[in-house]
Amino acid sequence: MASPEQVGKAEQVVPLWRNLRFQALWGGAATSMLGTQIADTAYPLLLLAMTGSSTLAGAFGALQIGASLVFGIHGGAAADRYDRRRVLMIVDSVRLLATVSVPLALWLGRLTVVHTLLVAVVIGGSIAYGGPSRMLALRSVVPPQQLRQALAQEEARMSAAGLIGPPLAGLLFGLGRAVPFVGTALASLLSLAAACAVRLPARSDAGSGDGPARGGALAGFRHLAGDRTLRSTLAVVFGINLTGSAMLLPMIVLLRGHGTSSGGIGLALAGEAVGAIAGAFLVGRLHRLAGPGRLLLGVAWLCVPLLLAPLLPGGAVTVFAALAAVGLGVPALRVMIDLLVFQQVAEDLRGRVVAATMTVLMLGMPAGLLGSGLLLDHLAPAATLTVLAALLVAGLLPATHNRALRNAAWPA
């Protein structure tokens, strides 16, 4: 029989859409993500217009990712050691100042390449410090029984921002060079307003900032390395990230070779975001269908034939369908990592585990892009996709024979 305390807690649970703290934080996170997606497209366009150099345009993304990786470890430690709401307020304030400086410099005719690239570092640092704190703040205002639903809503936010952001950036840039950066500044302001408005529940570990965090900044990596199932899980997801990012460049070259327009290529590459939006509504069903290990392996093995799908007739339509099929399983995997990894560690270690996981998975993206470029220097796009599929198979075989991973169960 349930205790009076348990009955009281159950009666206090309200529908997620009426959880004002969650919805406010979710709205702030949504605008922050949309601003990031706009920035990822608008800043390279700006640098290309300013200099005509594709190298400098690509340097923006490289510096942003590099800053996220460099500051990521300390960002996780900050989430564990300091008040997370305060961390978010500081991060969003710094990002707001950086983003506002760009349209101001444009209007004054004083914007330089160095200024723009420094903003890339600030944005990357804001992702590193704000990511773990924002992620854990959102989860702290949701009851455990609603966590999967909340995470699915968060996945829908990320996917919608990924779908809307790039074309919106192009549209705004067409209205004027400064316009998209006014939009990113507004997104930072709304995110800051949400962080200021919401009071987070008191943490059991206090998060006072007094003394070093238990285990040091690298404790998150040690935790991941010490669990065989977690190691295998992240290795498989890393492989999916690596091959998923590596497949984009040969797909673009392949579509170009078939005479597909730039607009057609953009629509084809939107398939993954469209699939992910649909997949966000399938998270609960997929989790009931299979355990975490079997779900992970099933989605990973599905990626193998989908890597080769662009070689079939159909051009952009085939690529769109293949990417949409890949995207369907992505939200279920992200929520799986959250439930399997982040929620199973002590509160005072969780930020560093989040940062370690984000760092490991983020490394797959630049590695994949660099690897596909090197392969395309020596192989045709079709052969490059075949090599990527073979590499994914080679990585999945040992994971598939890992009994502990196959039999992993959802936490109670």
Side-chain angles (χ1 to χ4, degrees):
M1 180 178 293
S3 67
E5 292 81 1
Q6 290 173 321
V7 172
K9 288 179 181 178
E11 291 174 349
Q12 292 171 10
V13 174
V14 298
L16 197 59
W17 64 271
R18 288 176 54 197
N19 186 333
L20 298 183
R21 287 193 297 180
F22 171 76
Q23 294 301 340
L25 284 172
W26 183 89
T31 56
S32 177
M33 176 63 69
L34 181 60
T36 299
Q37 292 293 332
I38 292 174
D40 287 348
T41 301
Y43 280 103
L45 287 175
L46 177 63
L47 284 166
L48 199 59
M50 289 170 59
T51 67
S53 170
S54 57
T55 301
L56 286 174
F60 184 91
L63 283 173
Q64 181 178 313
I65 292 175
S68 296
L69 293 173
V70 169
F71 295 117
I73 297 174
H74 190 258
D80 285 335
R81 186 178 177 186
Y82 301 107
D83 179 78
R84 289 166 186 161
R85 176 171 173 264
R86 190 174 301 167
V87 171
L88 288 177
M89 291 168 63
I90 294 172
V91 166
D92 286 336
S93 297
V94 172
R95 181 169 179 159
L96 175 60
L97 291 174
T99 53
V100 165
S101 72
V102 174
L104 283 177
L106 277 170
W107 287 328
L108 294 172
R110 302 295 295 271
L111 184 66
T112 64
V113 171
V114 173
H115 180 168
T116 309
L117 295 180
L118 285 174
V119 172
V121 175
V122 173
I123 292 176
S126 72
I127 293 171
Y129 283 98
S133 291
R134 196 182 309 278
M135 185 180 291
L136 296 175
L138 275 167
R139 285 144 183 77
S140 71
V141 298
V142 176
Q145 58 267 46
Q146 292 179 332
L147 184 58
R148 186 178 271 110
Q149 179 188 356
L151 296 177
Q153 182 173 327
E154 187 178 356
E155 287 300 316
R157 167 197 41 105
M158 293 176 61
S159 302
L163 179 63
I164 297 171
L168 180 59
L171 175 64
L172 294 176
F173 195 81
L175 297 176
R177 287 189 180 183
V179 177
F181 309 107
V182 174
T184 59
L186 178 61
S188 297
L189 178 61
L190 292 174
S191 180
L192 173 61
C196 293
V198 176
R199 299 281 180 179
L200 301 179
R203 288 166 54 183
S204 58
D205 61 317
S208 64
D210 298 331
R214 176 175 64 88
L218 297 177
F221 289 96
R222 288 195 292 270
H223 176 82
L224 297 177
D227 188 301
R228 183 184 177 190
T229 300
L230 293 185
R231 288 201 310 270
S232 300
T233 299
L234 292 182
V236 173
V237 178
F238 176 85
I240 295 173
N241 267 9
L242 188 146
T243 53
S245 59
M247 71 186 290
L248 294 179
L249 189 55
M251 279 185 175
I252 291 172
V253 175
L254 202 62
L255 290 173
R256 279 287 191 195
H258 292 161
T260 307
S261 66
S262 297
I265 292 174
L267 288 174
L269 297 183
E272 184 176 1
V274 172
I277 292 173
F281 298 98
L282 300 176
V283 168
R285 186 171 298 178
L286 290 175
H287 283 195
R288 290 190 296 270
L289 186 65
R294 296 181 185 276
L295 175 64
L296 172 64
L297 292 170
V299 172
W301 278 107
L302 179 63
C303 291
V304 174
L306 293 176
L307 278 168
L308 302 175
L311 306 183
L312 300 173
V317 174
T318 302
V319 170
F320 179 92
L323 291 176
V326 171
L328 279 174
V330 169
L333 294 189
R334 287 180 180 154
V335 175
M336 178 202 75
I337 291 175
D338 200 300
L339 297 175
L340 208 60
V341 182
F342 303 156
Q343 302 304 319
Q344 305 308 309
V345 298
E347 175 71 18
D348 65 341
L349 181 61
R350 198 168 288 170
R352 282 164 289 170
V353 172
V354 169
T357 304
M358 291 171 63
T359 299
V360 170
L361 299 185
M362 194 182 297
L363 281 171
M365 299 170 62
L369 291 171
L370 177 62
S372 66
L374 293 174
L375 287 173
L376 285 170
D377 284 341
H378 304 282
L379 300 173
T384 298
L385 290 172
T386 303
V387 170
L388 293 175
L391 289 174
L392 183 57
V393 168
L396 288 178
L397 287 175
T400 305
H401 285 87
N402 184 335
R403 183 175 298 178
L405 178 61
R406 292 200 313 271
N407 297 331
W410 294 109

